[in-house]
Amino acid sequence: MLEFNCKNVSAERLGEGNGLNLEDEFNKYNDKIAKIISDLNSKKDKPGQWLQWMNLGYSEETVWFVKEYAAMTQGRFENILVLGIGGSALGGMAVCEALLKPYWNLLSPEQRNNMPRIFFLDNIDPDQMNGLLNVLDLKKTLVNVITKSGSTAETMSQFMILKNRLEEELGDDYRKHIVATTDQTTGILRQISNEEGYKTFVIPDDVGGRFSVFSAVGLLPFALVGIDIEDLMQGVKDMDLALKNTDIRHNIAAQNALIHYLMDTQKGKNLAVMMPYSSRLKYVSDWFVQIWAESLGKNKNLDGEPVCVGPTPIKAVGATDQHSQIQLYNEGPNNKLITFIRVKEFDSALEIPKIFEYTGIGYLGGKTINELLNAEADATRVTLVDYQRPNVTITLDNISPYNIGQLLYMLEVQTAITGALYHINAFDQPGVEQAKNYTYALMGRAGYEESAAVLQKKLSM
Ligand code: PA5
């Protein structure tokens, strides 16, 4: 189980102006939170609620099919190339970076247990794409194209380029190098996959992109590179059971949701920083930024009233960003709530040799880098309190599939509860759709002619 420490948001430590009287707030919000949790759990099976992500941990069928495919393809490919963007890429990147050995793609096949290398292409930068295409041997590459809608311009343009290249290089065999993860029935990618006969995996109905990491969106790439997806899902299930507890005193996702909500609405802390002290968790921050921003940034509440809410998420990584952002967090505007993620036991240790006696650095000799990193995490937390800056800490025993499943699922539930506290729909993204539609218009998609004319006018002004 993860540990959650929220003592550094208390009024006792930060003063009334910046801190919360947690006991009082937990008492005050207990019934409301209990109702939110009950509602989420009772509505999760209802179509149209976009809560199917709460059931993904229990989808043994998906785990089985994904593992079967991974076993079938094992040894056939040197590279997995994932095409996707936003929720179709960030969860995969976060989990792979956390759970694969560091610098995975640079390791020898033996060091990778003969598992393939993995590349995520989550942008349409031509230089980056050409660069990757120049280094990948497509004859030894499996392309996993992931898009729920099946029509996202970035992903589908990447896919069209890759499909063409694969066909040129491999002739009729190219189909065996494509696996599509998309909606069961709708969308252009589903249609193409049916016509072309690609192997496909399904993104279930009512699972939004940013909540899809535990569907085939994530599970397929994870299984293909040998991540233990059963342990990952066990972490999700155990966390789900723990978070069914309607008593806020025993529900860490609810506690952190309420803290974030109150810090924003009562104490002016409308910036939410995610700062793991682990490079392997760096992309967890990217994933969090998306789920927090897209879920909570809304201009209308559930009653249709204008609200324009949403704390702005910021990504950071310790100790690196101590030398970049912490000056601002300590002394700049007191408008941030920082979440630290701390790892007790790293997979390896590294001792700093006793080679210098200088007072300024001699003390480091004989200690480990592990000790130094965690000392820096603790020092930063305490310093922030000295400056009356609120922060919470999530501690993982180690970085394992089980703990990563727990962490990401906890943050998903925290997001859903926070959305309910703001009384907004955390599961739509009209602001993203709008930009997608403008792109279609600019690129000449049929049906978007009127928008194109308006846009051209605006762009020329
Ligand atoms: O969370 C979301 O819904 C979005 O970030 C989508 O994942 C992103 O826009 C990509 O959409 P799609 O999977 O339809 O290509």
Side-chain angles (χ1 to χ4, degrees):
M1 203 40 79
L2 309 184
E3 285 167 33
F4 177 64
N5 183 330
C6 57
K7 288 181 185 151
N8 287 350
V9 300
S10 68
E12 212 183 337
R13 293 195 179 178
L14 303 177
E16 291 293 333
N18 295 300
L20 299 169
N21 292 303
L22 279 181
E23 259 321 294
D24 294 352
E25 299 295 357
F26 285 176
N27 285 336
K28 200 158 108 198
Y29 278 88
N30 192 46
D31 292 350
K32 183 165 186 161
I33 290 284
K35 181 163 179 347
I36 290 173
I37 296 168
S38 305
D39 280 356
L40 284 172
N41 282 289
S42 64
K43 285 187 193 155
K44 73 183 165 72
D45 297 317
K46 290 195 187 137
Q49 297 293 322
W50 289 91
L51 291 171
Q52 274 301 323
W53 55 271
M54 296 181 76
N55 291 323
L56 294 176
Y58 302 91
S59 178
E60 282 167 21
E61 213 186 25
T62 310
V63 171
W64 194 90
F65 281 125
V66 157
K67 283 183 71 174
E68 187 203 30
Y69 180 74
M72 256 168 51
T73 54
Q74 199 176 349
R76 276 181 50 203
F77 300 106
E78 244 172 42
N79 311 302
I80 308 297
L81 173 56
V82 179
L83 309 178
I85 198 163
S88 291
L90 288 164
M93 290 162 73
V95 173
C96 285
E97 188 70 13
L99 296 177
L100 294 178
K101 287 180 193 159
Y103 303 103
W104 179 257
N105 288 345
L106 298 181
L107 301 179
S108 68
E110 296 72 40
Q111 288 167 318
R112 285 186 267 114
N113 303 325
N114 293 314
M115 290 294 170
R117 303 185 293 175
I118 187 160
F119 300 86
F120 288 87
L121 208 46
D122 73 333
N123 203 354
I124 41 166
D125 180 311
D127 296 337
Q128 184 197 33
M129 257 193 104
N130 273 321
L132 185 59
L133 289 171
N134 284 340
V135 297
L136 281 188
D137 180 353
L138 290 183
K139 291 194 179 75
K140 297 176 181 164
T141 301
L142 176 67
V143 174
N144 180 198
V145 51
I146 307 178
T147 164
K148 164 102 175 153
S149 62
S151 57
T152 301
E154 294 89 341
T155 307
M156 289 311 283
S157 59
Q158 290 173 339
F159 172 65
M160 285 150 85
I161 292 167
L162 258 304
K163 189 240 173 206
N164 206 35
R165 294 281 177 105
L166 284 167
E167 205 169 353
E168 275 168 12
E169 285 207 26
L170 300 161
D172 272 354
D173 246 11
Y174 78 94
R175 291 184 181 83
K176 294 184 192 138
H177 289 245
I178 296 173
V179 52
T181 309
T182 190
D183 190 87
Q184 174 130 39
T185 48
T186 64
I188 302 164
L189 182 61
R190 170 57 61 188
Q191 201 182 327
I192 296 172
S193 302
N194 291 346
E195 284 164 12
E196 293 259 316
Y198 304 149
K199 172 74 185 166
T200 60
F201 285 87
V202 170
I203 308 176
D205 288 345
D206 293 330
V207 175
R210 57 192 176 275
F211 289 88
S212 68
V213 59
F214 300 117
S215 72
V217 167
L219 296 185
L220 178 61
F222 305 157
L224 287 168
V225 291
I227 290 172
D228 188 335
I229 58 173
E230 267 154 355
D231 267 14
L232 185 84
M233 296 301 252
Q234 193 59 50
V236 175
K237 278 186 278 191
D238 288 354
M239 184 51 79
D240 182 58
L241 282 181
L243 299 182
K244 281 191 162 57
N245 196 323
T246 54
D247 182 346
I248 190 167
R249 286 167 208 81
H250 300 288
N251 187 316
I252 59 176
Q255 289 175 14
N256 210 17
L258 183 63
I259 288 167
H260 276 81
Y261 172 71
L262 294 177
M263 278 292 176
D264 175 20
T265 55
Q266 293 185 5
K267 307 287 174 185
K269 321 293 181 203
N270 58 0
L271 303 176
V273 181
M274 176 56 81
M275 189 165 183
Y277 269 72
S278 155
S279 291
R280 289 169 62 189
L281 300 182
K282 190 178 168 150
Y283 290 118
V284 169
S285 297
D286 291 61
W287 173 86
F288 172 79
V289 162
Q290 191 217 2
I291 200 168
W292 206 243
E294 252 181 37
S295 304
L296 303 180
K298 299 292 151 72
N299 67 2
K300 290 206 175 67
N301 68 14
L302 289 171
D303 302 321
E305 294 157 353
V307 283
C308 290
V309 293
T312 302
I314 299 174
K315 55 188 178 182
V317 68
T320 309
D321 286 314
Q322 279 177 216
H323 300 267
S324 148
Q325 303 178 20
I326 286 292
Q327 168 62 29
L328 173 74
Y329 298 171
N330 278 335
E331 296 197 342
N334 194 345
N335 56 1
K336 298 165 200 74
L337 168 56
I338 302 176
T339 300
F340 292 110
I341 304 179
R342 198 178 179 287
V343 179
K344 272 192 203 157
E345 294 289 336
F346 291 87
D347 282 3
S348 61
L350 201 53
E351 192 174 305
I352 308 164
K354 285 187 190 174
I355 51 171
F356 293 120
E357 298 287 315
Y358 302 104
T359 321
I361 56 167
Y363 68 94
L364 293 169
K367 309 273 176 25
T368 61
I369 287 279
N370 312 44
E371 287 173 274
L372 179 60
L373 186 59
N374 278 337
E376 295 207 16
D378 290 340
T380 304
R381 291 195 292 167
V382 173
T383 311
L384 282 162
V385 175
D386 289 346
Y387 282 99
Q388 301 187 316
R389 312 291 156 128
N391 59 88
V392 297
T393 301
I394 299 168
T395 302
L396 312 187
D397 285 341
N398 54 26
I399 302 179
S400 63
Y402 182 84
N403 286 335
I404 292 298
Q406 292 229 314
L407 175 67
L408 297 192
Y409 189 73
M410 179 224 158
L411 293 171
E412 288 182 344
V413 175
Q414 176 187 310
T415 306
I417 297 175
T418 311
L421 285 166
Y422 281 107
H423 194 50
I424 49 108
N425 181 352
F427 306 106
D428 65 358
Q429 52 284 326
V432 178
E433 302 304 338
Q434 178 77 340
K436 278 189 180 182
N437 291 339
Y438 280 158
T439 305
Y440 297 148
L442 281 173
M443 295 296 285
R445 180 170 164 180
Y448 292 80
E449 294 79 4
E450 224 169 279
S451 307
V454 176
L455 267 168
Q456 289 301 358
K457 202 170 157 207
K458 286 187 180 171
L459 286 170
S460 64
M461 281 191 324

PDB file of all heavy atoms in Angstrom, residues 320-342:
ATOM      1  N   THR A 320      16.585  17.281  -9.734  1.00  0.00           N
ATOM      2  CA  THR A 320      16.916  18.209 -10.831  1.00  0.00           C
ATOM      3  C   THR A 320      16.270  19.584 -10.656  1.00  0.00           C
ATOM      4  O   THR A 320      16.944  20.624 -10.733  1.00  0.00           O
ATOM      5  CB  THR A 320      16.463  17.604 -12.176  1.00  0.00           C
ATOM      6  OG1 THR A 320      16.980  16.283 -12.264  1.00  0.00           O
ATOM      7  CG2 THR A 320      16.934  18.430 -13.345  1.00  0.00           C
ATOM      8  N   ASP A 321      14.958  19.591 -10.416  1.00  0.00           N
ATOM      9  CA  ASP A 321      14.246  20.873 -10.406  1.00  0.00           C
ATOM     10  C   ASP A 321      14.410  21.672  -9.122  1.00  0.00           C
ATOM     11  O   ASP A 321      13.894  22.791  -9.025  1.00  0.00           O
ATOM     12  CB  ASP A 321      12.772  20.654 -10.767  1.00  0.00           C
ATOM     13  CG  ASP A 321      12.635  20.369 -12.259  1.00  0.00           C
ATOM     14  OD1 ASP A 321      13.263  21.099 -13.044  1.00  0.00           O
ATOM     15  OD2 ASP A 321      11.946  19.415 -12.641  1.00  0.00           O
ATOM     16  N   GLN A 322      15.151  21.112  -8.152  1.00  0.00           N
ATOM     17  CA  GLN A 322      15.538  21.950  -7.016  1.00  0.00           C
ATOM     18  C   GLN A 322      16.419  23.091  -7.515  1.00  0.00           C
ATOM     19  O   GLN A 322      16.459  24.156  -6.923  1.00  0.00           O
ATOM     20  CB  GLN A 322      16.357  21.128  -6.018  1.00  0.00           C
ATOM     21  CG  GLN A 322      15.510  20.294  -5.109  1.00  0.00           C
ATOM     22  CD  GLN A 322      16.342  19.436  -4.181  1.00  0.00           C
ATOM     23  OE1 GLN A 322      15.943  18.336  -3.902  1.00  0.00           O
ATOM     24  NE2 GLN A 322      17.482  19.917  -3.720  1.00  0.00           N
ATOM     25  N   HIS A 323      17.120  22.802  -8.609  1.00  0.00           N
ATOM     26  CA  HIS A 323      18.046  23.797  -9.153  1.00  0.00           C
ATOM     27  C   HIS A 323      17.411  24.564 -10.299  1.00  0.00           C
ATOM     28  O   HIS A 323      18.100  25.147 -11.125  1.00  0.00           O
ATOM     29  CB  HIS A 323      19.335  23.098  -9.597  1.00  0.00           C
ATOM     30  CG  HIS A 323      20.005  22.403  -8.448  1.00  0.00           C
ATOM     31  ND1 HIS A 323      20.977  22.992  -7.679  1.00  0.00           N
ATOM     32  CD2 HIS A 323      19.785  21.176  -7.903  1.00  0.00           C
ATOM     33  CE1 HIS A 323      21.357  22.160  -6.725  1.00  0.00           C
ATOM     34  NE2 HIS A 323      20.642  21.049  -6.839  1.00  0.00           N
ATOM     35  N   SER A 324      16.088  24.485 -10.382  1.00  0.00           N
ATOM     36  CA  SER A 324      15.405  25.175 -11.454  1.00  0.00           C
ATOM     37  C   SER A 324      14.133  25.857 -10.938  1.00  0.00           C
ATOM     38  O   SER A 324      13.926  27.038 -11.131  1.00  0.00           O
ATOM     39  CB  SER A 324      15.115  24.152 -12.557  1.00  0.00           C
ATOM     40  OG  SER A 324      13.963  24.424 -13.246  1.00  0.00           O
ATOM     41  N   GLN A 325      13.291  25.111 -10.218  1.00  0.00           N
ATOM     42  CA  GLN A 325      11.986  25.664  -9.842  1.00  0.00           C
ATOM     43  C   GLN A 325      11.839  26.008  -8.353  1.00  0.00           C
ATOM     44  O   GLN A 325      10.979  26.808  -7.985  1.00  0.00           O
ATOM     45  CB  GLN A 325      10.890  24.657 -10.211  1.00  0.00           C
ATOM     46  CG  GLN A 325      10.879  24.278 -11.676  1.00  0.00           C
ATOM     47  CD  GLN A 325       9.807  23.244 -12.014  1.00  0.00           C
ATOM     48  OE1 GLN A 325       8.842  23.063 -11.292  1.00  0.00           O
ATOM     49  NE2 GLN A 325       9.964  22.549 -13.119  1.00  0.00           N
ATOM     50  N   ILE A 326      12.625  25.366  -7.493  1.00  0.00           N
ATOM     51  CA  ILE A 326      12.347  25.466  -6.056  1.00  0.00           C
ATOM     52  C   ILE A 326      12.523  26.885  -5.501  1.00  0.00           C
ATOM     53  O   ILE A 326      11.814  27.291  -4.580  1.00  0.00           O
ATOM     54  CB  ILE A 326      13.185  24.428  -5.264  1.00  0.00           C
ATOM     55  CG1 ILE A 326      12.601  23.028  -5.490  1.00  0.00           C
ATOM     56  CG2 ILE A 326      13.225  24.737  -3.776  1.00  0.00           C
ATOM     57  CD1 ILE A 326      11.217  22.784  -4.890  1.00  0.00           C
ATOM     58  N   GLN A 327      13.421  27.659  -6.076  1.00  0.00           N
ATOM     59  CA  GLN A 327      13.552  29.054  -5.640  1.00  0.00           C
ATOM     60  C   GLN A 327      12.193  29.762  -5.745  1.00  0.00           C
ATOM     61  O   GLN A 327      11.743  30.439  -4.828  1.00  0.00           O
ATOM     62  CB  GLN A 327      14.604  29.770  -6.508  1.00  0.00           C
ATOM     63  CG  GLN A 327      14.653  31.278  -6.365  1.00  0.00           C
ATOM     64  CD  GLN A 327      15.014  31.738  -4.960  1.00  0.00           C
ATOM     65  OE1 GLN A 327      15.721  31.040  -4.227  1.00  0.00           O
ATOM     66  NE2 GLN A 327      14.507  32.900  -4.558  1.00  0.00           N
ATOM     67  N   LEU A 328      11.530  29.551  -6.858  1.00  0.00           N
ATOM     68  CA  LEU A 328      10.208  30.157  -7.074  1.00  0.00           C
ATOM     69  C   LEU A 328       9.187  29.598  -6.085  1.00  0.00           C
ATOM     70  O   LEU A 328       8.381  30.328  -5.516  1.00  0.00           O
ATOM     71  CB  LEU A 328       9.743  29.881  -8.512  1.00  0.00           C
ATOM     72  CG  LEU A 328       8.314  30.295  -8.855  1.00  0.00           C
ATOM     73  CD1 LEU A 328       8.196  31.808  -8.999  1.00  0.00           C
ATOM     74  CD2 LEU A 328       7.846  29.622 -10.146  1.00  0.00           C
ATOM     75  N   TYR A 329       9.251  28.282  -5.864  1.00  0.00           N
ATOM     76  CA  TYR A 329       8.246  27.669  -4.978  1.00  0.00           C
ATOM     77  C   TYR A 329       8.424  28.144  -3.542  1.00  0.00           C
ATOM     78  O   TYR A 329       7.460  28.278  -2.807  1.00  0.00           O
ATOM     79  CB  TYR A 329       8.328  26.139  -5.048  1.00  0.00           C
ATOM     80  CG  TYR A 329       8.038  25.571  -6.419  1.00  0.00           C
ATOM     81  CD1 TYR A 329       8.250  24.236  -6.707  1.00  0.00           C
ATOM     82  CD2 TYR A 329       7.536  26.387  -7.434  1.00  0.00           C
ATOM     83  CE1 TYR A 329       7.986  23.730  -7.971  1.00  0.00           C
ATOM     84  CE2 TYR A 329       7.275  25.899  -8.697  1.00  0.00           C
ATOM     85  CZ  TYR A 329       7.508  24.564  -8.964  1.00  0.00           C
ATOM     86  OH  TYR A 329       7.243  24.062 -10.211  1.00  0.00           O
ATOM     87  N   ASN A 330       9.673  28.365  -3.129  1.00  0.00           N
ATOM     88  CA  ASN A 330       9.912  28.802  -1.759  1.00  0.00           C
ATOM     89  C   ASN A 330       9.622  30.292  -1.559  1.00  0.00           C
ATOM     90  O   ASN A 330       9.033  30.680  -0.562  1.00  0.00           O
ATOM     91  CB  ASN A 330      11.372  28.540  -1.361  1.00  0.00           C
ATOM     92  CG  ASN A 330      11.582  27.091  -0.934  1.00  0.00           C
ATOM     93  OD1 ASN A 330      10.654  26.419  -0.506  1.00  0.00           O
ATOM     94  ND2 ASN A 330      12.804  26.606  -1.072  1.00  0.00           N
ATOM     95  N   GLU A 331      10.047  31.100  -2.518  1.00  0.00           N
ATOM     96  CA  GLU A 331       9.997  32.544  -2.265  1.00  0.00           C
ATOM     97  C   GLU A 331       9.051  33.321  -3.177  1.00  0.00           C
ATOM     98  O   GLU A 331       8.738  34.471  -2.903  1.00  0.00           O
ATOM     99  CB  GLU A 331      11.418  33.126  -2.380  1.00  0.00           C
ATOM    100  CG  GLU A 331      12.353  32.580  -1.321  1.00  0.00           C
ATOM    101  CD  GLU A 331      13.608  33.409  -1.134  1.00  0.00           C
ATOM    102  OE1 GLU A 331      13.953  34.212  -2.025  1.00  0.00           O
ATOM    103  OE2 GLU A 331      14.249  33.244  -0.078  1.00  0.00           O
ATOM    104  N   GLY A 332       8.621  32.693  -4.259  1.00  0.00           N
ATOM    105  CA  GLY A 332       7.706  33.399  -5.168  1.00  0.00           C
ATOM    106  C   GLY A 332       6.296  33.382  -4.598  1.00  0.00           C
ATOM    107  O   GLY A 332       6.101  33.166  -3.401  1.00  0.00           O
ATOM    108  N   PRO A 333       5.293  33.617  -5.464  1.00  0.00           N
ATOM    109  CA  PRO A 333       3.917  33.651  -4.967  1.00  0.00           C
ATOM    110  C   PRO A 333       3.556  32.344  -4.252  1.00  0.00           C
ATOM    111  O   PRO A 333       3.902  31.262  -4.747  1.00  0.00           O
ATOM    112  CB  PRO A 333       3.079  33.806  -6.240  1.00  0.00           C
ATOM    113  CG  PRO A 333       4.016  34.142  -7.338  1.00  0.00           C
ATOM    114  CD  PRO A 333       5.405  33.829  -6.908  1.00  0.00           C
ATOM    115  N   ASN A 334       2.893  32.462  -3.128  1.00  0.00           N
ATOM    116  CA  ASN A 334       2.520  31.271  -2.362  1.00  0.00           C
ATOM    117  C   ASN A 334       1.192  30.733  -2.926  1.00  0.00           C
ATOM    118  O   ASN A 334       0.145  30.824  -2.280  1.00  0.00           O
ATOM    119  CB  ASN A 334       2.394  31.635  -0.876  1.00  0.00           C
ATOM    120  CG  ASN A 334       2.340  30.391  -0.004  1.00  0.00           C
ATOM    121  OD1 ASN A 334       2.115  29.291  -0.504  1.00  0.00           O
ATOM    122  ND2 ASN A 334       2.531  30.561   1.293  1.00  0.00           N
ATOM    123  N   ASN A 335       1.273  30.201  -4.155  1.00  0.00           N
ATOM    124  CA  ASN A 335       0.039  29.780  -4.838  1.00  0.00           C
ATOM    125  C   ASN A 335       0.129  28.345  -5.346  1.00  0.00           C
ATOM    126  O   ASN A 335      -0.555  27.974  -6.282  1.00  0.00           O
ATOM    127  CB  ASN A 335      -0.256  30.739  -6.017  1.00  0.00           C
ATOM    128  CG  ASN A 335       0.910  30.833  -6.993  1.00  0.00           C
ATOM    129  OD1 ASN A 335       1.939  30.177  -6.799  1.00  0.00           O
ATOM    130  ND2 ASN A 335       0.760  31.639  -8.024  1.00  0.00           N
ATOM    131  N   LYS A 336       0.997  27.547  -4.718  1.00  0.00           N
ATOM    132  CA  LYS A 336       1.200  26.176  -5.222  1.00  0.00           C
ATOM    133  C   LYS A 336       0.989  25.146  -4.129  1.00  0.00           C
ATOM    134  O   LYS A 336       1.255  25.411  -2.949  1.00  0.00           O
ATOM    135  CB  LYS A 336       2.624  26.015  -5.765  1.00  0.00           C
ATOM    136  CG  LYS A 336       2.899  26.918  -6.932  1.00  0.00           C
ATOM    137  CD  LYS A 336       4.370  27.038  -7.241  1.00  0.00           C
ATOM    138  CE  LYS A 336       4.611  28.300  -8.051  1.00  0.00           C
ATOM    139  NZ  LYS A 336       4.512  29.537  -7.253  1.00  0.00           N
ATOM    140  N   LEU A 337       0.528  23.967  -4.571  1.00  0.00           N
ATOM    141  CA  LEU A 337       0.477  22.808  -3.687  1.00  0.00           C
ATOM    142  C   LEU A 337       1.341  21.746  -4.365  1.00  0.00           C
ATOM    143  O   LEU A 337       1.085  21.375  -5.514  1.00  0.00           O
ATOM    144  CB  LEU A 337      -0.969  22.326  -3.539  1.00  0.00           C
ATOM    145  CG  LEU A 337      -1.177  20.972  -2.876  1.00  0.00           C
ATOM    146  CD1 LEU A 337      -0.551  20.919  -1.494  1.00  0.00           C
ATOM    147  CD2 LEU A 337      -2.677  20.678  -2.767  1.00  0.00           C
ATOM    148  N   ILE A 338       2.359  21.304  -3.671  1.00  0.00           N
ATOM    149  CA  ILE A 338       3.320  20.389  -4.288  1.00  0.00           C
ATOM    150  C   ILE A 338       3.080  18.966  -3.809  1.00  0.00           C
ATOM    151  O   ILE A 338       2.931  18.729  -2.605  1.00  0.00           O
ATOM    152  CB  ILE A 338       4.765  20.820  -3.959  1.00  0.00           C
ATOM    153  CG1 ILE A 338       4.970  22.245  -4.467  1.00  0.00           C
ATOM    154  CG2 ILE A 338       5.789  19.871  -4.575  1.00  0.00           C
ATOM    155  CD1 ILE A 338       6.298  22.849  -4.145  1.00  0.00           C
ATOM    156  N   THR A 339       3.010  18.040  -4.760  1.00  0.00           N
ATOM    157  CA  THR A 339       2.942  16.624  -4.407  1.00  0.00           C
ATOM    158  C   THR A 339       4.305  16.005  -4.665  1.00  0.00           C
ATOM    159  O   THR A 339       4.785  15.994  -5.802  1.00  0.00           O
ATOM    160  CB  THR A 339       1.883  15.882  -5.256  1.00  0.00           C
ATOM    161  OG1 THR A 339       0.615  16.488  -5.023  1.00  0.00           O
ATOM    162  CG2 THR A 339       1.818  14.402  -4.891  1.00  0.00           C
ATOM    163  N   PHE A 340       4.932  15.516  -3.613  1.00  0.00           N
ATOM    164  CA  PHE A 340       6.192  14.782  -3.772  1.00  0.00           C
ATOM    165  C   PHE A 340       5.889  13.300  -3.880  1.00  0.00           C
ATOM    166  O   PHE A 340       4.979  12.789  -3.214  1.00  0.00           O
ATOM    167  CB  PHE A 340       7.104  14.989  -2.557  1.00  0.00           C
ATOM    168  CG  PHE A 340       7.623  16.396  -2.439  1.00  0.00           C
ATOM    169  CD1 PHE A 340       7.184  17.233  -1.428  1.00  0.00           C
ATOM    170  CD2 PHE A 340       8.552  16.882  -3.350  1.00  0.00           C
ATOM    171  CE1 PHE A 340       7.656  18.528  -1.324  1.00  0.00           C
ATOM    172  CE2 PHE A 340       9.035  18.180  -3.252  1.00  0.00           C
ATOM    173  CZ  PHE A 340       8.586  19.004  -2.238  1.00  0.00           C
ATOM    174  N   ILE A 341       6.631  12.627  -4.731  1.00  0.00           N
ATOM    175  CA  ILE A 341       6.597  11.159  -4.703  1.00  0.00           C
ATOM    176  C   ILE A 341       7.995  10.720  -4.298  1.00  0.00           C
ATOM    177  O   ILE A 341       8.994  11.151  -4.889  1.00  0.00           O
ATOM    178  CB  ILE A 341       6.219  10.539  -6.061  1.00  0.00           C
ATOM    179  CG1 ILE A 341       4.874  11.093  -6.541  1.00  0.00           C
ATOM    180  CG2 ILE A 341       6.145   9.014  -5.933  1.00  0.00           C
ATOM    181  CD1 ILE A 341       4.427  10.547  -7.881  1.00  0.00           C
ATOM    182  N   ARG A 342       8.039   9.895  -3.266  1.00  0.00           N
ATOM    183  CA  ARG A 342       9.315   9.505  -2.686  1.00  0.00           C
ATOM    184  C   ARG A 342       9.403   7.988  -2.763  1.00  0.00           C
ATOM    185  O   ARG A 342       8.401   7.287  -2.557  1.00  0.00           O
ATOM    186  CB  ARG A 342       9.306   9.975  -1.231  1.00  0.00           C
ATOM    187  CG  ARG A 342      10.625  10.067  -0.548  1.00  0.00           C
ATOM    188  CD  ARG A 342      10.347  10.613   0.857  1.00  0.00           C
ATOM    189  NE  ARG A 342      11.539  10.748   1.665  1.00  0.00           N
ATOM    190  CZ  ARG A 342      12.194   9.733   2.178  1.00  0.00           C
ATOM    191  NH1 ARG A 342      11.790   8.497   1.964  1.00  0.00           N
ATOM    192  NH2 ARG A 342      13.272   9.946   2.920  1.00  0.00           N
TER     193      ARG A 342
END
